[in-house]
Amino acid sequence: MIHAYDKIYLDKARIALGRMLDFAVYDLQYDIEEFFNLFIHSGVSARFEIGDFSVITGMSGVELAYEVLEQSGNQPKRIKPNYTIDRSEEFWTGWALAYYQWETSMRFVEIVQYVPIKEILALYSPYHEMDIRQFVDKMNALYMAAKPETNLKLMRQKAGLCQRELAELSGVPIRTIQQYEQRQKNINKAQAEYLVMFSRVLCCEVEDLMEKVGTRAEANPL
C-alpha cells in the first residue's frame, strides 16, 4: 500500500493534528466541526495530506491552528495555550484521524464527507483504548457503509454511461466491470491495460478509480 508520506514523520504529524484540535476547541472555543472545515478549506489540510514538512513537522499543533485561521482570513489574538495532563477526546480524534489519512492516502475532505468529524469523535470510547488497527477497521466499515458504490461505478455514472457502453468503449468485458463494481474483484489489482482504458473513456486519472479502504493497518500501535 502506498501511504500519504514517509512513516518517519507520522508520529509528529499525529501529535500536531491532535494538539491542533484540542487547542482549537478548548482554548480558541471553536466547535470541532467548524474548525475542521476551516482546516480543510484553508488549504492547510492539502499540505498536511502530502506530508509537507513545514506543516507536519515544522509546526506545533498550536502553530498549526493559527496557520489555519490566518489562511482562512482571520487574525486571531494570540493567547497562551493551556496544556492538560490527560489527552482530550479532541486530541485523540486528530491523533487517530492523522493515522487513518496516512494509512489510506485519502484527502481529509473525502474522509469526513462520509464519516463526519463528530462521528469520529464519538469513537473515542472504546477505540482510544484499542490498537489503532481496530480504529482503522471501524473507519473502513463506516466509510464503506456510507459510500457503497465503488469509484468505478461513480465515475461511470458521472460520464453518463451504462455498463455495456463502458464495456464497448473500453474493451473490458462487461462481466469484469460488474465484478469490479460489486467488489467481487479488487480493482486495485486490475490489469494495467484495463485501468488505462477506463481512465481514457471516463476522462479521469487511474488513481481516481482505485479503492483506498478495506485493508488492515500494518503499523504497530503507539
Side-chain angles (χ1 to χ4, degrees), residues 106-120:
M106 278 195 290
R107 299 182 63 199
F108 285 111
V109 67
E110 182 180 0
I111 295 172
V112 299
Q113 177 184 355
Y114 295 101
V115 188
I117 189 73
K118 288 187 176 178
E119 191 170 342
I120 300 172

Side-chain angles (χ1 to χ4, degrees), residues 13-23 88 90-95 98:
R14 297 177 74 185
I15 292 171
L17 198 67
R19 182 60 182 140
M20 180 194 78
L21 290 182
D22 179 271
F23 179 69
S88 67
E90 289 76 11
F91 180 96
W92 175 85
T93 299
W95 181 82

Side-chain angles (χ1 to χ4, degrees), residues 2 30 76 124 161 206 212:
I2 299 176
Y30 275 88
Y124 174 80
L161 299 175
V206 167
K212 297 182 179 179

Side-chain angles (χ1 to χ4, degrees), residues 20-32 35 90:
M20 180 194 78
L21 290 182
D22 179 271
F23 179 69
V25 171
Y26 292 100
D27 295 85
L28 300 179
Q29 301 297 302
Y30 275 88
D31 173 80
I32 190 172
F35 192 84
E90 289 76 11

Side-chain angles (χ1 to χ4, degrees), residues 6-193:
D6 197 301
K7 186 181 177 181
I8 63 174
Y9 304 108
L10 180 59
D11 285 356
K12 289 186 176 180
R14 297 177 74 185
I15 292 171
L17 198 67
R19 182 60 182 140
M20 180 194 78
L21 290 182
D22 179 271
F23 179 69
V25 171
Y26 292 100
D27 295 85
L28 300 179
Q29 301 297 302
Y30 275 88
D31 173 80
I32 190 172
E33 186 173 42
E34 178 187 5
F35 192 84
F36 203 77
N37 284 335
L38 290 177
F39 172 63
I40 289 172
H41 296 297
S42 68
V44 177
S45 67
R47 294 161 60 192
F48 195 103
E49 291 160 357
I50 61 173
D52 182 334
F53 300 149
S54 67
V55 172
I56 64 172
T57 63
M59 294 184 187
S60 68
V62 172
E63 292 170 330
L64 197 59
Y66 281 125
E67 178 72 6
V68 168
L69 293 176
E70 289 170 1
Q71 293 300 321
S72 299
N74 300 309
Q75 296 298 325
K77 181 180 178 180
R78 300 276 172 160
I79 62 174
K80 183 178 180 180
N82 293 313
Y83 292 99
T84 57
I85 296 177
D86 297 325
R87 292 180 173 182
S88 67
E89 295 180 17
E90 289 76 11
F91 180 96
W92 175 85
T93 299
W95 181 82
L97 183 54
Y99 183 94
Y100 187 69
Q101 189 278 321
W102 171 83
E103 170 73 12
T104 62
S105 297
M106 278 195 290
R107 299 182 63 199
F108 285 111
V109 67
E110 182 180 0
I111 295 172
V112 299
Q113 177 184 355
Y114 295 101
V115 188
I117 189 73
K118 288 187 176 178
E119 191 170 342
I120 300 172
L121 177 67
L123 296 177
Y124 174 80
S125 181
Y127 285 92
H128 75 287
E129 297 179 339
M130 296 183 180
D131 188 304
I132 192 64
R133 291 174 293 184
Q134 293 175 286
F135 169 75
V136 169
D137 286 346
K138 180 63 175 180
M139 285 291 293
N140 284 346
L142 291 172
Y143 180 91
M144 293 180 72
K147 180 181 176 286
E149 295 87 1
T150 62
N151 289 332
L152 174 62
K153 182 176 180 178
L154 291 173
M155 296 304 294
R156 175 179 61 76
Q157 291 176 333
K158 183 179 179 181
L161 299 175
C162 67
Q163 292 178 337
R164 185 170 300 281
E165 289 170 327
L166 178 58
E168 291 173 351
L169 292 170
S170 66
V172 179
I174 187 170
R175 179 55 183 155
T176 300
I177 292 173
Q178 292 170 342
Q179 289 173 324
Y180 288 145
E181 292 193 356
Q182 295 168 8
R183 293 194 172 96
Q184 294 175 1
K185 282 188 174 182
N186 185 351
I187 195 170
N188 294 357
K189 298 179 180 180
Q191 296 180 31
E193 180 183 356

